Structures are given as C-alpha cells and as structure tokens.
C-alpha cells in the first residue's frame, strides 16, 4: 500500500513516523519523490502570504518561521483562526488544495505506470477522511505513549479535535520509540491485511480518474495555490532545505 493517513494525539509521532515511512520507500528520481503532505501545510502557506502582505515582508520568511521549532507556536492561534474561517466559508476549502496535489500525483502515476508513496499526518475532519478513503488511503491510528503531550483545555475544545477519534482505524499502531522501527511495523501490518502492491496500484489508478472542479472561481483558486506551492518548494530547496525538511 502506497498511501497512509496517520491520525493521533499531539506528540504521538505522526510527523516523524510519516517521514521515516516515506524515506524507507524513497527512489532516486527527481520527479517521483514520496510526498509528505498535511492539511495544515495549506493553512501555513496561505497565512504566510497574508502576513507578507500586511507588513510587506517576504513570504518565505513567514514559511520558515512557521517551520522553526523555536517559533512555530507563535503562529498556532492564527493558523487555527484562519483554518476555521475558511472552513466556515467552504467546508472543503483546505481539502481541495491538498487533493489537488494528491490527484495530480495520481494522474502522473497513471501516465508513467508508477505509484507515488504519500503520507498525510493530520487528517482531522470527516470530509478529509472521506476524500482520503476514496483515494485509497489506509488509516493508521497511532497509540499514545511517553512522548504524547497533554493538551490544554483550549486545544481539547478546538474544532479540529472533535472528530478524528471517531474515524475507523484500519490499523492501530502500538506506541514504540523509534520512527524507523515504527515505519517497518506499518509495512508488516499492511502486508498482514493483504494490502498488496497490485491492490494499491488499482486504488491509485481509480483515484486518478477524478475530475477537477469545473467552477471557474474554484479552478482559479486551485491553480493559484499550485503556483505558490511550487514557488515555495523551489525556493526552500534553493536555500538548502531537503524534502524531509519541507513539511508544509
């Protein structure tokens, strides 16, 4: 299976395990690298653009600040507010942006006869779960452990924490230290479920047949996001960041 979603509590290892799993399946091809995606990544990209307009700053500076472990908490409340605001306008607002990338990978795979490994580590809303399952993602629920952080009352009450615990887990991964070892366990559990390479390719092929939005305003928004995303990616790579550094 080439596509996994990793729901879990803060500090359960979602990001590190996702990156370790992708690294174990990396191939030497510039145009066929594994994809580490997050719905929060779309929020960070848009917030960076907004803040750069406010003070006439550099959008890349705000992208870097949100990725910086020393500063990222400064932006958390803004990210949550922007995320909720856009979802109030359109529940699928962030979903469309990430699915643009997933579906683009599916179409490219169909043309090349290949399959891109994709991991998403922050699926938290029912529409996100539905869209990912339709595209062949397997849900790997991460159990809590010693590194899991206790959430504040505000975090517990946040909209993003109200749904994901109810998602059906195809696999429940017991807590263990070491993301590389956990990534190996995921592959063994996937194999145990009978999720073969052939079945994975079949699911991805079906997912790649999905049509993009025909509404001009939605298509324009997706195209703009795609352009900004490519620019940000190229700029960060030029500054020395690796693919595993660029977490959205």
């Amino acid at each position: 299976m080439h596509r996994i979603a990793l729901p879990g509590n803060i500090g359960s290892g979602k990001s590190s395990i996702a990156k370790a799993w992708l690294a174990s399946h990396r191939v030497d091809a510039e145009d066929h690298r594994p994809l580490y995606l997050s719905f929060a990544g779309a929020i960070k990209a848009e917030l960076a653009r907004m803040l750069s307009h406010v003070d006439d700053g550099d959008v890349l500076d705000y992208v870097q600040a949100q990725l910086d472990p020393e500063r990222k908490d400064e932006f958390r409340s803004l990210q949550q507010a922007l995320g909720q605001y856009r979802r109030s306008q359109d529940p699928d607002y962030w979903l469309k942006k990430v699915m643009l990338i997933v579906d683009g990978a599916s179409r490219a795979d169909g043309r090349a006869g290949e399959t891109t490994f994709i991991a998403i580590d922050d699926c938290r809303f029912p529409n996100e779960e539905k869209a990912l399952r339709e595209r062949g993602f397997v849900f790997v629920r991460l159990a809590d452990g010693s590194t899991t952080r206790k959430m504040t009352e505000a975090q517990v009450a946040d909209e993003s924490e109200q749904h994901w615990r109810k998602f059906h887990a195809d696999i429940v991964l017991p807590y263990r230290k070491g993301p590389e070892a956990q990534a190996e366990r995921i592959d063994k559990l996937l194999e145990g479920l009978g999720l073969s390479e052939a079945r994975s390719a079949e699911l991805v092929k079906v997912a790649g047949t999905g049509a993009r939005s025909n509404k001009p305003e939605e298509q324009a928004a997706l195209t703009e996001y795609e352009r900004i995303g490519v620019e940000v990616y190229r700029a960060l790579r030029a500054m020395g960041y690796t693919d595993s550094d660029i977490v959205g």
Side-chain angles (χ1 to χ4, degrees):
M1 174 53 63
H2 297 82
R3 299 177 172 201
I4 61 173
L6 298 168
N9 275 313
I10 298 173
S12 59
K14 298 187 296 294
S15 298
S16 58
I17 292 172
K19 287 189 282 187
W21 184 77
L22 291 173
S24 70
H25 294 288
R26 187 174 297 280
V27 295
D28 294 325
E30 179 63 23
D31 59 348
H32 195 68
R33 54 183 171 269
L35 290 176
Y36 174 78
L37 301 175
S38 69
F39 294 100
I43 297 175
K44 292 173 184 175
E46 183 163 317
L47 179 60
R49 291 178 58 203
M50 293 172 64
L51 293 175
S52 70
H53 286 302
V54 170
D55 65 3
D56 198 27
D58 188 334
V59 63
L60 288 180
D61 288 341
Y62 284 110
V63 171
Q64 287 180 287
Q66 292 180 84
L67 297 177
D68 185 348
E70 299 294 326
R71 295 195 59 197
K72 62 181 183 179
D73 285 343
E74 298 175 21
F75 301 91
R76 193 175 302 279
S77 61
L78 287 174
Q79 292 165 354
Q80 290 178 338
L82 177 60
Q84 292 173 2
Y85 173 68
R86 289 302 194 191
R87 276 189 292 270
S88 71
Q89 295 179 312
D90 177 0
D92 293 335
Y93 184 86
W94 303 113
L95 177 65
K96 293 172 185 174
K97 296 180 182 298
V98 177
M99 291 306 100
L100 171 72
I101 301 172
V102 172
D103 292 341
S106 296
R107 286 190 290 272
D109 288 345
R111 291 191 295 270
E114 299 174 331
T115 306
T116 299
F117 285 85
I118 305 175
I120 293 181
D121 69 355
D122 66 343
C123 178
R124 293 182 174 276
F125 293 91
N127 59 337
E128 296 170 353
E129 181 200 21
K130 180 175 182 293
L132 293 181
R133 288 196 184 280
E134 289 174 347
R135 288 163 173 80
F137 280 77
V138 171
F139 277 66
V140 181
R141 169 78 177 269
L142 303 185
D144 291 347
S146 60
T147 59
T148 304
R149 300 208 305 267
K150 184 177 181 179
M151 294 191 294
T152 65
E153 291 184 7
Q155 288 174 323
V156 171
D158 187 77
E159 180 188 12
S160 64
E161 295 295 330
Q162 305 309 308
H163 306 285
W164 66 267
R165 291 178 178 80
K166 302 175 184 177
F167 295 167
H168 169 71
D170 301 298
I171 292 172
V172 176
L173 187 68
Y175 179 85
R176 299 284 190 282
K177 290 186 177 180
E180 291 78 13
Q182 289 290 66
E184 291 182 11
R185 292 187 183 95
I186 288 175
D187 279 333
K188 291 179 180 179
L189 290 168
L190 289 172
E191 184 177 350
L193 287 177
L195 296 171
S196 65
E197 297 294 301
R199 176 55 178 160
S200 176
E202 177 187 341
L203 288 168
V204 171
K205 182 177 180 181
V206 172
T209 62
R212 297 172 69 171
S213 171
N214 291 322
K215 295 182 179 179
E217 66 276 11
E218 291 183 1
Q219 187 61 58
L222 293 178
T223 302
E224 173 67 4
Y225 175 79
E226 186 174 36
R227 182 182 68 78
I228 292 294
V230 170
E231 288 180 358
V232 170
Y233 174 80
R234 287 176 176 170
L236 290 175
R237 285 302 300 269
M239 295 168 67
Y241 285 85
T242 66
D243 285 336
S244 60
D245 293 326
I246 304 171
V247 298

